[in-house]
Amino acid sequence: RQTADMAALALLAASALADPARPNLPEQFSASLKTKSFFGKFQNGTLYYDAVAKKMRNDNAPVSLEDWIGVPGLYVQSNIFTPTGSYWITNDVCRQQDGKFNDMWGWVKYSKYYGTTQIGDVECDTWKLFTSKANLTLYNNGDSPILYVTEVFGGLPGMTPQHYAIEQFFVNLTIGKPADKDIELPADCTEKPLTCEPETQRIVTMDHYIAHPPQHFNITNQDTADILGDTVFTCSDVKRNNTKNDHYGVISHYRISLDTTYGQYALCNGYPGVCMGREYFYVGREASMGVKENGGQCANNTEI
């Protein structure tokens, strides 16, 4: 009798110490998000997720550039992932980026249990996976995600490797297939990017400026700007305490002749430059931080 009681107690103790079953996280859902990333503040947004169709869309609420870097205007962005590609939309400009849809919960089956964590009023199970490029943490209650934290390590060529975290709090989770209108790729992401009507004098010579590391003077696949645009960019970089990471030490002045049949502006970073955009012939153009319609590609941007 005593032996049986001891065995039963041992079984209960082992059961209490055992990891809980991994959550069966939803394959299709819509959710409101509170996200904290490189902007440093929490943003509201929405996430539409469909693992069956291999599609995902994340819309962030507009960010005040006045609050962020002291420039008037709003910054609006979305990320869309499909079975064949990935797209970043900022202020109505759609650019293709590396990658494609990836199961956001696929890593959980390889994770390790780290006990329970209190997130607000909710007691959550904690699952973590550590890799050389990213650390992933899920806090779940039953089969519902409560908080998802992604820590990323790395950077662009010639720049200081960085470590940054993205925190996503799931609010108002609705299980089920998202509406097609909420998750489909906009047509202009696959159409040929628009070009502007050239100016009366089609070829002009302009003053261009660029902040860069002292040892890098090759402006191939680099973004240059007029004096107002580069002032906005450089001052915002200083305000975000990012200049050290970028290794900026000098600002150079160039006189460049160009065709004013402007195309979509590409976002280029690193040394050598790595560019994100869909225009490969015409000179790209936009307003500072792309705050105007179509990023200001064809607009009069003398005031910003």
Side-chain angles (χ1 to χ4, degrees), residues 210 212 215-222 254 271-273:
I210 182 171
H212 61 91
Q215 71 275 24
H216 291 288
F217 285 87
N218 185 349
I219 59 172
T220 303
N221 286 345
Q222 299 293 331
Y254 294 84
Y271 306 94

Side-chain angles (χ1 to χ4, degrees), residues 53-105:
K54 296 185 177 180
K55 295 178 181 180
M56 180 172 73
R57 176 170 181 145
N58 184 191
D59 296 332
N60 287 337
V63 172
S64 167
L65 289 174
E66 188 77 48
D67 295 341
W68 182 31
I69 55 175
V71 173
L74 295 174
Y75 187 81
V76 184
Q77 68 169 344
S78 299
N79 283 278
I80 301 178
F81 301 87
T82 74
T84 57
S86 170
Y87 301 83
W88 186 27
I89 303 174
T90 56
N91 288 33
D92 301 321
V93 179
C94 183
R95 298 178 175 93
Q96 190 163 8
Q97 57 189 353
D98 289 339
K100 59 183 180 179
F101 175 87
N102 186 51
D103 181 1
M104 71 185 298
W105 310 129

Side-chain angles (χ1 to χ4, degrees), residues 33-35 58 104 146-149 166-170:
L33 292 182
K34 285 189 175 295
T35 303
N58 184 191
M104 71 185 298
I146 303 299
L147 170 62
Y148 181 28
V149 181
I166 300 173
E167 302 175 26
Q168 294 178 303
F169 287 88
F170 289 76

Side-chain angles (χ1 to χ4, degrees), residues 65 68-71 75 156 159 209-213 222-251 265-271 286-290 304:
L65 289 174
W68 182 31
I69 55 175
V71 173
Y75 187 81
L156 291 160
M159 300 171 71
Y209 300 84
I210 182 171
H212 61 91
Q222 299 293 331
D223 292 327
T224 62
D226 62 17
I227 192 165
L228 178 58
D230 207 52
T231 299
V232 170
F233 173 79
T234 304
C235 290
S236 69
D237 203 65
V238 171
K239 186 171 181 178
R240 290 184 292 126
N241 296 316
N242 201 50
T243 304
K244 184 177 180 180
N245 294 328
D246 292 333
H247 300 290
Y248 293 152
V250 296
I251 295 177
Y265 183 80
L267 303 176
C268 301
N269 292 283
Y271 306 94
E286 76 170 10
S288 297
M289 302 299 174
I304 188 167

Side-chain angles (χ1 to χ4, degrees), residues 1-237:
R1 175 68 181 176
Q2 186 174 11
T3 302
D5 289 344
M6 292 291 289
L9 287 172
L11 184 61
L12 285 171
S15 176
L17 294 172
D19 293 348
R22 283 179 170 77
N24 183 24
L25 297 159
E27 290 188 323
Q28 296 175 309
F29 65 87
S30 304
S32 300
L33 292 182
K34 285 189 175 295
T35 303
K36 183 178 181 181
S37 59
F38 60 89
F39 287 109
K41 298 179 180 179
F42 280 102
Q43 295 174 257
N44 294 322
T46 51
L47 178 64
Y48 305 100
Y49 183 78
D50 189 344
V52 178
K54 296 185 177 180
K55 295 178 181 180
M56 180 172 73
R57 176 170 181 145
N58 184 191
D59 296 332
N60 287 337
V63 172
S64 167
L65 289 174
E66 188 77 48
D67 295 341
W68 182 31
I69 55 175
V71 173
L74 295 174
Y75 187 81
V76 184
Q77 68 169 344
S78 299
N79 283 278
I80 301 178
F81 301 87
T82 74
T84 57
S86 170
Y87 301 83
W88 186 27
I89 303 174
T90 56
N91 288 33
D92 301 321
V93 179
C94 183
R95 298 178 175 93
Q96 190 163 8
Q97 57 189 353
D98 289 339
K100 59 183 180 179
F101 175 87
N102 186 51
D103 181 1
M104 71 185 298
W105 310 129
W107 62 274
V108 176
K109 61 186 175 184
Y110 305 108
S111 64
K112 183 178 178 180
Y113 182 64
Y114 278 79
T116 59
T117 304
Q118 194 76 17
I119 304 295
D121 297 329
V122 182
E123 184 174 2
C124 299
D125 290 323
T126 307
W127 302 90
K128 293 178 179 284
L129 178 68
F130 298 96
T131 73
S132 59
K133 294 185 177 180
N135 296 336
L136 307 175
T137 305
L138 171 69
Y139 302 92
N140 66 286
N141 180 258
D143 292 331
S144 297
I146 303 299
L147 170 62
Y148 181 28
V149 181
T150 306
E151 297 177 86
V152 179
F153 309 93
L156 291 160
M159 300 171 71
T160 300
Q162 297 186 50
H163 167 215
Y164 64 91
I166 300 173
E167 302 175 26
Q168 294 178 303
F169 287 88
F170 289 76
V171 184
N172 299 327
L173 186 72
T174 301
I175 306 299
K177 184 180 184 298
D180 290 340
K181 67 179 180 61
D182 293 327
I183 205 165
E184 288 300 325
L185 188 66
D188 61 358
C189 288
T190 54
E191 296 173 350
K192 184 178 179 180
L194 71 90
T195 54
C196 306
E197 286 294 321
E199 297 176 6
T200 304
Q201 184 178 343
R202 179 165 177 169
I203 306 300
V204 299
T205 301
M206 300 174 60
D207 293 298
H208 283 241
Y209 300 84
I210 182 171
H212 61 91
Q215 71 275 24
H216 291 288
F217 285 87
N218 185 349
I219 59 172
T220 303
N221 286 345
Q222 299 293 331
D223 292 327
T224 62
D226 62 17
I227 192 165
L228 178 58
D230 207 52
T231 299
V232 170
F233 173 79
T234 304
C235 290
S236 69
D237 203 65

